[in-house]
């Protein structure tokens, strides 16, 4: 009987210890596996290859996680629900070339930026959609909830068609049911490079100013935000950012702020 009681006491004590350790952990990411919401079809930034989530954004996040002592588990999702998923705790981090706009800062907090980019309109060759005026009245496809969705919605007379992912929009463009597919320039160029026989080209292109790509976290988790920023600064300082960027972007120069040992592209979050 004493042996049995001793075993029960040991189990209870172990359970209490587990609960105590869990309580002490709080929101500190050290030693934990964090869920990362990402996309599967937007190379070179975020994509799935041989069953593994990769791309510039995700490989950089893996490096930051290793430096800061936590693990990451990538989970594929649709962009439209990604930021809400971060805000409500479904995901600990959002990694998806997320432009750090003022509107999005109302929902989540952003790390310092790790990339800048351009928005472009992929069109049929010879369509001559080279400026905003030419896009008026056209049927434009976008990924729902993206910066490109916001851009297309401001084009006078444009018919905006929203899709859950990039593959769906490219398929519709090839079928001729869209006049233009509005995407980040790197994603559009990557598609053209991989599909040289498809008669498409880049049309109107504009720089996304003051809204660098950044990792998203819940406003209630400043500890994780600090770890992301610390890890990013270290990765810039030792040249890791430049190395990873070069693996995925062969012809696009890296922003000088990400080459000179600084903290990254500063993002000023709204008050939590």
């Amino acid at each position: 009987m004493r042996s049995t009681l001793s075993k029960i006491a040991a189990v209870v004590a172990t359970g209490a210890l587990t609960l105590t350790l869990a309580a002490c952990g709080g929101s500190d990411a050290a030693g934990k596996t964090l869920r990362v919401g990402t996309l599967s079809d937007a190379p070179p930034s975020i994509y799935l290859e041989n069953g593994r989530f990769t791309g510039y954004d995700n490989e950089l996040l893996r490096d930051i996680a290793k430096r800061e002592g936590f693990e990451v588990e990538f989970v594929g999702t649709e962009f439209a629900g990604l930021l809400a998923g971060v805000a409500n705790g479904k995901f600990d981090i959002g990694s998806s070339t997320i432009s750090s706009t003022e509107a999005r800062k109302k929902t989540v907090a952003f790390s310092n930026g790790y990339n800048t980019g351009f928005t472009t309109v992929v069109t049929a060759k010879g369509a001559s959609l080279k400026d905003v005026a030419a896009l008026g009245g056209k049927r434009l496809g976008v990924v729902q909830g993206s910066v490109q969705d916001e851009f297309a919605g401001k084009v006078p007379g444009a018919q905006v068609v929203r899709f859950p992912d990039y593959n769906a929009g490219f398929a519709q463009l090839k079928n001729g049911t869209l006049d233009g597919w509005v995407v980040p320039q790197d994603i559009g160029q990557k598609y053209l490079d991989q599909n040289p026989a498809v008669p498409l080209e880049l049309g109107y292109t504009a720089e996304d100013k003051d809204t660098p790509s950044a990792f998203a976290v819940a406003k209630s988790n400043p500890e994780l935000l600090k770890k992301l920023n610390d890890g990013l600064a270290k990765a810039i300082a030792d040249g890791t950012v430049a190395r990873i960027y070069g693996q995925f972007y062969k012809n696009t120069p890296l922003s000088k702020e990400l080459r000179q040992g600084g903290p990254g592209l500063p993002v000023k979050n709204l008050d939590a």
Side-chain angles (χ1 to χ4, degrees):
M1 176 67 75
R2 177 170 295 180
S3 176
T4 301
L5 291 175
S6 297
K7 291 179 180 178
I8 293 173
V11 170
V12 171
T14 301
L17 177 61
T18 300
L19 290 174
T20 301
L21 290 175
C24 289
S27 58
D28 188 357
K32 294 183 178 180
T33 297
L34 304 185
R35 285 171 58 86
V36 181
T38 190
L39 273 65
S40 61
D41 64 344
S45 304
I46 53 254
Y47 62 99
L48 193 64
E49 183 175 67
N50 298 323
R52 182 178 188 272
F53 285 100
T54 185
Y56 169 62
D57 299 44
N58 290 339
E59 296 303 336
L60 175 58
L61 183 55
R62 279 192 175 97
D63 179 84
I64 292 172
K66 184 176 180 180
R67 293 173 188 270
E68 298 300 315
F70 61 90
E71 302 287 335
V72 286
E73 175 192 4
F74 291 95
V75 181
T77 187
E78 294 181 358
F79 188 84
L82 176 56
L83 295 186
V86 172
N88 65 27
K90 180 179 180 181
F91 305 116
D92 297 292
I93 302 171
S95 172
S96 186
T97 315
I98 308 169
S99 296
S100 50
T101 66
E102 293 303 303
R104 290 172 177 173
K105 291 175 185 177
K106 297 177 182 179
T107 303
V108 297
F110 287 102
S111 70
N112 286 329
Y114 55 81
N115 203 3
T116 57
F118 293 76
T119 286
T120 194
V121 183
V122 185
T123 70
K125 284 189 175 180
S128 298
L129 301 183
K130 300 294 185 180
D131 54 46
V132 174
L135 300 176
K138 300 299 183 183
R139 188 174 171 85
L140 303 178
V142 297
V143 169
Q144 184 175 356
S146 66
V147 168
Q148 290 72 37
D149 187 349
E150 181 179 346
F151 163 80
K154 296 178 181 178
V155 176
Q159 304 172 49
V160 182
V161 184
R162 295 174 174 86
F163 296 91
D165 56 50
Y166 288 96
N167 285 337
F170 277 117
Q172 292 299 312
L173 182 63
K174 286 168 58 180
N175 292 339
T177 56
L178 293 176
D179 296 305
W181 177 223
V182 191
V183 297
Q185 184 185 37
D186 57 299
I187 294 173
Q189 186 61 59
K190 185 73 172 183
Y191 184 85
L192 297 186
D193 293 343
Q194 293 178 337
N195 299 273
V198 180
L200 299 175
E201 64 182 7
L202 301 186
Y204 174 77
T205 301
E207 185 175 4
D208 300 328
K209 297 179 179 179
D210 303 321
T211 55
S213 298
F215 299 115
V217 301
K219 290 189 174 188
S220 59
N221 201 345
E223 295 90 350
L224 178 56
L225 184 65
K226 183 178 185 302
K227 284 183 177 293
L228 292 175
N229 283 336
D230 287 349
L232 175 60
K234 294 171 186 174
I236 294 170
D238 68 10
T240 299
V241 166
R243 176 180 58 78
I244 296 175
Y245 186 89
Q247 292 176 3
F248 295 96
Y249 297 89
K250 304 298 184 183
N251 301 310
T252 305
L254 182 65
S255 298
K256 65 179 182 179
E257 293 88 350
L258 301 174
R259 290 185 277 111
Q260 297 180 342
L265 299 159
V267 171
K268 184 177 181 181
N269 289 299
L270 302 178
D271 292 337

